[in-house]
C-alpha cells in the first residue's frame, strides 16, 4: 500500500506541473494533493501546519490564476473576449504541432478575441499583449509553486523511514 501511495503522489506531482500550463487542471492544488497522499504513507512526517499552509498557498494561487490575467487584460484596455481568446489560444497552441505553440497560441487567441470585440487593430494588439502578459505571469507563478511542492515531496520522500512493503 505504501508504494502505491508514493506512486500516486508522484503522478499527482507530475500532473500538477502539467496543470501549470493546462487551463483545465489546477496545477498547485493537484501538486498539493500529492503532498497530502504522501502524508498518509507510513514513515513520512508532515505536520498538519505544513499541510494547512501549503493548502492555503495553493488556494491563493488558484484564485490569483483567475485574477492576474484579468488584471493584465484590464490594465492594457482589454475585454473578457481577450481573456477567453487567450484560453482558447492556449488549448489550440498545446494541441497544434507548431513550434512555440504554447506561447504563440495564447497571444493570437487574445488578439482574435479582442478583434471580435473591437475592430481596432492597435487597441486589440495592446489588449492582447496585456492578456498575454497576465497569462504568462499566472502560468509562471503556478509552475513555480508546483515545482516547489515537488521539492517538498522529494525531501519528504528522502526522509522516509519505514518499510515500503
Amino acid at each position: 500500500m505504501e508504494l502505491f501511495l508514493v506512486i500516486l503522489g508522484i503522478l499527482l506531482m507530475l500532473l500538477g506541473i502539467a496543470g501549470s500550463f493546462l487551463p483545465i487542471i489546477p496545477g498547485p492544488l493537484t501538486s498539493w494533493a500529492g503532498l497530502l497522499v504522501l502524508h498518509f504513507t507510513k514513515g513520512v512526517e508532515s505536520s498538519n501546519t505544513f499541510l494547512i499552509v501549503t493548502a492555503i498557498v495553493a488556494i491563493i494561487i488558484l484564485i490569483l490564476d483567475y485574477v492576474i490575467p484579468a488584471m493584465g487584460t484590464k490594465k492594457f484596455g482589454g475585454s473578457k473576449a481577450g481573456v477567453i481568446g487567450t484560453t482558447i489560444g492556449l488549448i489550440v497552441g498545446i494541441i497544434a504541432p507548431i513550434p512555440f505553440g504554447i506561447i504563440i497560441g495564447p497571444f493570437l487567441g487574445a488578439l482574435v478575441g479582442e478583434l471580435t470585440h473591437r475592430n481596432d487593430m492597435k487597441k486589440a494588439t495592446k489588449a492582447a499583449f496585456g492578456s498575454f502578459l497576465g497569462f504568462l505571469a499566472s502560468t509562471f507563478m503556478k509552475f513555480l509553486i508546483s515545482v516547489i511542492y515537488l521539492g517538498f515531496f522529494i525531501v519528504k520522500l528522502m526522509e522516509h523511514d519505514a518499510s515500503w512493503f
Side-chain angles (χ1 to χ4, degrees), residues 11-156:
L11 290 174
L12 286 167
M13 284 290 152
L14 295 175
L15 189 61
I17 290 173
S20 298
F21 301 99
L22 301 172
I24 297 170
I25 302 168
L29 208 52
T30 305
S31 292
W32 179 82
L35 289 173
L36 183 64
V37 167
L38 187 65
H39 171 72
F40 291 116
T41 61
K42 293 178 185 155
V44 175
E45 295 291 325
S46 292
S47 70
N48 289 337
T49 303
F50 172 78
L51 289 172
I52 291 169
V53 168
T54 52
I56 290 170
V57 169
I59 291 168
I60 289 170
I61 297 298
L62 179 70
I63 294 167
L64 287 175
D65 184 35
Y66 293 100
V67 173
I68 290 174
M71 286 172 44
T73 301
K74 291 291 180 194
K75 177 88 173 154
F76 285 80
S79 66
K80 189 172 182 175
V83 175
I84 293 169
T86 302
T87 304
I88 292 170
L90 171 66
I91 294 168
V92 171
I94 290 171
I95 295 171
I98 59 172
F100 305 107
I102 198 166
I103 295 171
I104 295 169
F107 179 77
L108 290 178
L111 183 62
V112 169
E114 287 300 329
L115 283 173
T116 61
H117 180 70
R118 69 181 95 211
N119 201 11
D120 182 350
M121 184 62 145
K122 185 176 179 181
K123 287 183 180 179
T125 302
K126 183 179 176 186
F129 184 69
S131 182
F132 178 68
L133 282 180
F135 161 76
L136 283 182
S138 176
T139 300
F140 177 74
M141 180 181 59
K142 292 186 300 184
F143 178 72
L144 185 64
I145 294 299
S146 292
V147 168
I148 289 170
Y149 284 7
L150 176 62
F152 288 156
F153 186 91
I154 291 169
V155 167
K156 297 286 184 189

